[in-house]
Amino acid sequence: LSGAGLPGAAKVVLWDANRPRFIRVLCAGLEAPPSCIAASETASIILLCCGRQCRVVTINGATLATVEVDSDADAFTSGAPVRVPEWCCDHPVVVTGHANGCVRIWRLVPLKMPGVKRWGPGWRASIASEAQNMTLDLMTLCERSHKEAVTCVTFSHDMPPSMFTGDAAGLVVQWGRLPH
């Protein structure tokens, strides 16, 4: 996966890494060039963080969900689909890092699911087409862990699994349960 372009015309393309060749444009017309492209190892989804917009798309490029934040201070700077079993719920989960140091945890849910929020303070979910029947629902917002832009979100393969977030100042925070 590779992304580049001018604001409003940015693209993400899919490449065959074994035989260096172009396969297809996965997503076009993005608000900004992607700061993060992360593929799920298990759910066949791809997370795209592009300025004030975050999209979840399928491996075929169909948009499943889009969420936008209101200000550049909240811009999406990093993200990752969750792959650790402890986090498993009925729906895929993604974690995003933001320019203001916030970390948000979202779940990809059906639009018609009871209790699903389509907007909140400083953010809103948008519907790309009538065929789109999913949205990102904010589960958790953490504003205390980082003071700088969150530039990396990743998960360990250790047991118990942990999430790590890193920021522009070099601070790395480990999230997870303490071993007993």
Side-chain angles (χ1 to χ4, degrees):
L1 294 168
S2 175
L6 299 172
K11 295 180 184 179
V12 174
V13 295
L14 189 58
W15 291 91
D16 182 338
N18 291 329
R19 297 168 291 217
R21 68 180 172 123
F22 169 82
I23 296 176
R24 71 175 162 272
V25 173
L26 191 66
C27 203
L30 300 171
E31 174 191 284
S35 57
C36 175
I37 302 171
S40 169
E41 295 177 15
T42 56
S44 299
I45 60 172
I46 298 169
L47 179 68
L48 308 172
C49 297
C50 309
R52 296 183 318 162
Q53 188 179 81
C54 177
R55 286 190 191 183
V56 178
V57 300
T58 67
I59 194 69
N60 294 323
T63 299
L64 295 175
T66 303
V67 67
E68 296 179 29
V69 292
D70 291 340
S71 73
D72 289 335
D74 285 331
F76 293 91
T77 53
S78 60
V82 173
R83 61 170 172 69
V84 282
E86 275 79 38
W87 289 42
C88 286
C89 59
D90 294 338
H91 307 284
V93 175
V94 297
V95 179
T96 57
H98 299 266
N100 61 3
C102 287
V103 174
R104 289 182 168 108
I105 302 173
W106 310 83
R107 63 185 178 152
L108 183 64
V109 296
L111 279 171
K112 296 186 181 347
M113 188 169 150
V116 169
K117 299 177 291 298
R118 298 250 325 270
W119 63 86
W123 68 273
R124 69 191 167 289
S126 59
I127 308 303
S129 70
E130 289 192 24
Q132 181 180 329
N133 61 359
M134 304 292 281
T135 190
L136 285 171
D137 183 38
L138 182 64
M139 294 172 55
T140 304
L141 167 64
C142 178
E143 299 175 299
R144 295 184 174 176
S145 58
H146 296 280
K147 294 189 183 345
E148 302 289 328
V150 177
T151 56
C152 182
V153 176
T154 191
F155 296 90
S156 72
H157 291 279
D158 301 337
M159 286 308 216
S162 296
M163 178 176 78
F164 294 89
T165 55
D167 67 25
L171 176 68
V172 175
V173 175
Q174 179 180 2
W175 307 63
R177 286 192 251 154
L178 295 173
H180 298 288

